CSV table of all heavy atoms in Angstrom, one decimal:
chain,number,residue,atom,x,y,z
A,38,ALA,N,-42.1,-45.9,-155.9
A,38,ALA,CA,-41.1,-44.8,-155.9
A,38,ALA,C,-39.7,-45.4,-155.8
A,38,ALA,O,-39.5,-46.3,-155.0
A,38,ALA,CB,-41.4,-43.8,-154.8
A,39,GLY,N,-38.8,-44.9,-156.6
A,39,GLY,CA,-37.4,-45.3,-156.6
A,39,GLY,C,-37.2,-46.5,-157.4
A,39,GLY,O,-36.1,-47.0,-157.5
A,40,SER,N,-38.2,-47.0,-158.2
A,40,SER,CA,-38.0,-48.2,-159.0
A,40,SER,C,-37.4,-47.9,-160.4
A,40,SER,O,-37.1,-48.8,-161.1
A,40,SER,CB,-39.3,-48.9,-159.1
A,40,SER,OG,-40.3,-48.2,-159.9
A,41,GLN,N,-37.3,-46.6,-160.7
A,41,GLN,CA,-36.7,-46.2,-161.9
A,41,GLN,C,-35.4,-45.3,-161.6
A,41,GLN,O,-35.5,-44.5,-160.8
A,41,GLN,CB,-37.7,-45.4,-162.8
A,41,GLN,CG,-38.9,-46.3,-163.2
A,41,GLN,CD,-39.8,-45.5,-164.0
A,41,GLN,OE1,-39.7,-45.5,-165.3
A,41,GLN,NE2,-40.8,-44.8,-163.4
A,42,ALA,N,-34.4,-45.5,-162.4
A,42,ALA,CA,-33.1,-44.8,-162.2
A,42,ALA,C,-33.3,-43.3,-162.6
A,42,ALA,O,-34.0,-43.0,-163.6
A,42,ALA,CB,-32.0,-45.4,-162.9
A,43,SER,N,-32.6,-42.4,-161.9
A,43,SER,CA,-32.5,-41.0,-162.3
A,43,SER,C,-31.6,-40.9,-163.5
A,43,SER,O,-30.7,-41.7,-163.7
A,43,SER,CB,-32.0,-40.2,-161.2
A,43,SER,OG,-32.9,-40.2,-160.1
A,44,ALA,N,-31.7,-39.9,-164.3
A,44,ALA,CA,-30.9,-39.6,-165.5
A,44,ALA,C,-30.4,-38.2,-165.4
A,44,ALA,O,-31.1,-37.3,-164.9
A,44,ALA,CB,-31.6,-39.9,-166.8
A,45,THR,N,-29.2,-37.9,-166.0
A,45,THR,CA,-28.7,-36.6,-166.1
A,45,THR,C,-29.3,-35.9,-167.3
A,45,THR,O,-29.2,-36.6,-168.4
A,45,THR,CB,-27.2,-36.6,-166.1
A,45,THR,OG1,-26.7,-37.2,-164.9
A,45,THR,CG2,-26.6,-35.2,-166.2
A,46,GLY,N,-29.7,-34.7,-167.2
A,46,GLY,CA,-30.2,-34.0,-168.4
A,46,GLY,C,-29.0,-33.8,-169.4
A,46,GLY,O,-27.9,-33.4,-169.0
A,47,PRO,N,-29.2,-34.3,-170.7
A,47,PRO,CA,-28.0,-34.2,-171.6
A,47,PRO,C,-27.5,-32.8,-171.9
A,47,PRO,O,-28.3,-31.9,-172.0
A,47,PRO,CB,-28.6,-34.9,-172.9
A,47,PRO,CG,-30.0,-35.1,-172.7
A,47,PRO,CD,-30.4,-34.8,-171.2
A,48,ALA,N,-26.2,-32.7,-171.9
A,48,ALA,CA,-25.6,-31.3,-172.1
A,48,ALA,C,-26.0,-30.7,-173.4
A,48,ALA,O,-26.0,-29.5,-173.5
A,48,ALA,CB,-24.1,-31.5,-172.1
A,49,ALA,N,-26.5,-31.4,-174.4
A,49,ALA,CA,-26.9,-30.9,-175.7
A,49,ALA,C,-28.2,-30.1,-175.5
A,49,ALA,O,-28.5,-29.2,-176.3
A,49,ALA,CB,-27.1,-32.0,-176.7
A,50,ASN,N,-29.0,-30.5,-174.5
A,50,ASN,CA,-30.3,-29.9,-174.3
A,50,ASN,C,-30.5,-29.1,-173.0
A,50,ASN,O,-31.5,-28.4,-172.9
A,50,ASN,CB,-31.4,-31.0,-174.2
A,50,ASN,CG,-31.4,-31.9,-175.4
A,50,ASN,OD1,-31.0,-31.5,-176.5
A,50,ASN,ND2,-31.7,-33.1,-175.3
A,51,PHE,N,-29.4,-29.0,-172.2
A,51,PHE,CA,-29.5,-28.3,-170.9
A,51,PHE,C,-28.2,-27.6,-170.6
A,51,PHE,O,-27.1,-28.1,-171.0
A,51,PHE,CB,-29.8,-29.3,-169.8
A,51,PHE,CG,-31.1,-29.9,-169.9
A,51,PHE,CD1,-31.3,-31.2,-170.4
A,51,PHE,CD2,-32.3,-29.3,-169.4
A,51,PHE,CE1,-32.5,-31.8,-170.6
A,51,PHE,CE2,-33.5,-29.9,-169.5
A,51,PHE,CZ,-33.6,-31.2,-170.1
A,52,THR,N,-28.3,-26.5,-169.9
A,52,THR,CA,-27.1,-25.8,-169.3
A,52,THR,C,-27.1,-26.0,-167.9
A,52,THR,O,-28.2,-25.8,-167.2
A,52,THR,CB,-27.2,-24.3,-169.7
A,52,THR,OG1,-27.2,-24.1,-171.1
A,52,THR,CG2,-26.0,-23.5,-169.1
A,53,GLY,N,-26.0,-26.4,-167.3
A,53,GLY,CA,-26.0,-26.7,-165.8
A,53,GLY,C,-26.4,-28.1,-165.5
A,53,GLY,O,-26.6,-28.9,-166.3
A,54,GLN,N,-26.5,-28.3,-164.1
A,54,GLN,CA,-26.9,-29.6,-163.6
A,54,GLN,C,-28.4,-29.8,-163.6
A,54,GLN,O,-29.1,-29.0,-162.9
A,54,GLN,CB,-26.3,-29.8,-162.2
A,54,GLN,CG,-24.8,-29.9,-162.2
A,54,GLN,CD,-24.3,-30.2,-160.9
A,54,GLN,OE1,-24.6,-29.5,-159.9
A,54,GLN,NE2,-23.5,-31.3,-160.7
A,55,VAL,N,-28.8,-30.8,-164.3
A,55,VAL,CA,-30.3,-31.1,-164.4
A,55,VAL,C,-30.4,-32.6,-164.2
A,55,VAL,O,-29.7,-33.4,-164.8
A,55,VAL,CB,-30.9,-30.7,-165.7
A,55,VAL,CG1,-32.4,-31.1,-165.8
A,55,VAL,CG2,-30.6,-29.2,-166.0
A,56,ARG,N,-31.4,-33.0,-163.3
A,56,ARG,CA,-31.7,-34.4,-163.1
A,56,ARG,C,-33.1,-34.7,-163.6
A,56,ARG,O,-34.0,-33.9,-163.3
A,56,ARG,CB,-31.6,-34.8,-161.6
A,56,ARG,CG,-31.8,-36.3,-161.4
A,56,ARG,CD,-31.7,-36.7,-159.9
A,56,ARG,NE,-33.0,-36.3,-159.2
A,56,ARG,CZ,-33.1,-35.5,-158.2
A,56,ARG,NH1,-32.0,-34.9,-157.6
A,56,ARG,NH2,-34.3,-35.3,-157.6
A,57,VAL,N,-33.3,-35.8,-164.3
A,57,VAL,CA,-34.6,-36.1,-164.9
A,57,VAL,C,-35.0,-37.5,-164.3
A,57,VAL,O,-34.3,-38.5,-164.5
A,57,VAL,CB,-34.6,-36.2,-166.4
A,57,VAL,CG1,-35.9,-36.6,-167.0
A,57,VAL,CG2,-34.1,-34.9,-167.0
A,58,ASP,N,-36.1,-37.5,-163.6
A,58,ASP,CA,-36.7,-38.8,-163.0
A,58,ASP,C,-38.0,-39.1,-163.8
A,58,ASP,O,-39.0,-38.4,-163.6
A,58,ASP,CB,-37.0,-38.6,-161.5
A,58,ASP,CG,-35.7,-38.4,-160.7
A,58,ASP,OD1,-34.9,-39.4,-160.7
A,58,ASP,OD2,-35.5,-37.4,-160.2
A,59,MET,N,-37.9,-40.0,-164.8
A,59,MET,CA,-39.1,-40.4,-165.5
A,59,MET,C,-40.1,-41.0,-164.5
A,59,MET,O,-39.8,-41.8,-163.7
A,59,MET,CB,-38.8,-41.5,-166.5
A,59,MET,CG,-38.5,-41.0,-167.9
A,59,MET,SD,-39.4,-39.7,-168.5
A,59,MET,CE,-40.9,-40.6,-169.2
A,60,VAL,N,-41.3,-40.6,-164.7
A,60,VAL,CA,-42.4,-41.1,-163.8
A,60,VAL,C,-43.2,-42.1,-164.6
A,60,VAL,O,-43.6,-43.1,-164.1
A,60,VAL,CB,-43.3,-39.9,-163.3
A,60,VAL,CG1,-44.3,-40.4,-162.4
A,60,VAL,CG2,-42.4,-38.9,-162.5
A,61,TRP,N,-43.6,-41.7,-165.8
A,61,TRP,CA,-44.3,-42.7,-166.7
A,61,TRP,C,-44.0,-42.3,-168.2
A,61,TRP,O,-43.8,-41.2,-168.5
A,61,TRP,CB,-45.8,-42.8,-166.4
A,61,TRP,CG,-46.5,-41.6,-167.0
A,61,TRP,CD1,-47.1,-41.5,-168.2
A,61,TRP,CD2,-46.9,-40.4,-166.3
A,61,TRP,NE1,-47.7,-40.3,-168.4
A,61,TRP,CE2,-47.6,-39.6,-167.2
A,61,TRP,CE3,-46.7,-39.9,-165.0
A,61,TRP,CZ2,-48.1,-38.4,-166.8
A,61,TRP,CZ3,-47.2,-38.7,-164.7
A,61,TRP,CH2,-47.9,-37.9,-165.6
A,62,PRO,N,-44.0,-43.3,-169.0
A,62,PRO,CA,-43.9,-43.0,-170.5
A,62,PRO,C,-45.2,-42.9,-171.1
A,62,PRO,O,-46.3,-43.4,-170.6
A,62,PRO,CB,-43.2,-44.3,-171.0
A,62,PRO,CG,-43.8,-45.4,-170.1
A,62,PRO,CD,-43.9,-44.7,-168.7
A,63,ALA,N,-45.3,-42.3,-172.2
A,63,ALA,CA,-46.6,-42.2,-173.0
A,63,ALA,C,-46.8,-43.6,-173.5
A,63,ALA,O,-45.9,-44.4,-173.8
A,63,ALA,CB,-46.4,-41.3,-174.2
A,64,ASP,N,-48.1,-44.1,-173.5
A,64,ASP,CA,-48.5,-45.4,-174.0
A,64,ASP,C,-49.9,-45.4,-174.4
A,64,ASP,O,-50.5,-44.3,-174.6
A,64,ASP,CB,-48.3,-46.5,-172.9
A,64,ASP,CG,-49.1,-46.2,-171.6
A,64,ASP,OD1,-50.2,-45.6,-171.7
A,64,ASP,OD2,-48.7,-46.7,-170.5
A,65,GLU,N,-50.5,-46.5,-174.7
A,65,GLU,CA,-51.9,-46.5,-175.3
A,65,GLU,C,-52.9,-46.1,-174.3
A,65,GLU,O,-54.0,-45.8,-174.7
A,65,GLU,CB,-52.2,-47.9,-175.9
A,65,GLU,CG,-52.0,-49.0,-174.9
A,65,GLU,CD,-50.6,-49.6,-174.9
A,65,GLU,OE1,-49.7,-49.1,-175.7
A,65,GLU,OE2,-50.4,-50.5,-174.1
A,66,ARG,N,-52.6,-46.0,-173.0
A,66,ARG,CA,-53.6,-45.6,-172.0
A,66,ARG,C,-53.6,-44.1,-171.9
A,66,ARG,O,-54.6,-43.5,-171.6
A,66,ARG,CB,-53.3,-46.2,-170.6
A,66,ARG,CG,-53.6,-47.7,-170.6
A,66,ARG,CD,-53.3,-48.3,-169.2
A,66,ARG,NE,-51.9,-48.0,-168.9
A,66,ARG,CZ,-51.5,-47.9,-167.7
A,66,ARG,NH1,-52.3,-48.1,-166.7
A,66,ARG,NH2,-50.2,-47.6,-167.4
A,67,ILE,N,-52.4,-43.4,-172.0
A,67,ILE,CA,-52.3,-42.0,-171.9
A,67,ILE,C,-51.3,-41.5,-172.8
A,67,ILE,O,-50.1,-42.0,-172.7
A,67,ILE,CB,-52.1,-41.5,-170.4
A,67,ILE,CG1,-52.1,-40.0,-170.3
A,67,ILE,CG2,-50.8,-42.1,-169.8
A,67,ILE,CD1,-52.1,-39.5,-168.9
A,68,ASN,N,-51.6,-40.7,-173.7
A,68,ASN,CA,-50.6,-40.2,-174.7
A,68,ASN,C,-49.8,-39.0,-174.2
A,68,ASN,O,-49.7,-38.0,-174.9
A,68,ASN,CB,-51.4,-39.8,-176.0
A,68,ASN,CG,-50.5,-39.8,-177.2
A,68,ASN,OD1,-49.5,-40.3,-177.2
A,68,ASN,ND2,-51.0,-39.0,-178.2
Side-chain angles (χ1 to χ4, degrees):
S40 65
Q41 299 182 89
S43 296
T45 300
N50 303 331
F51 296 96
T52 298
Q54 291 184 307
V55 178
R56 186 181 77 237
V57 180
D58 293 293
M59 265 320 276
V60 181
W61 76 86
D64 61 26
E65 55 274 358
R66 291 179 304 156
I67 184 169
N68 197 22

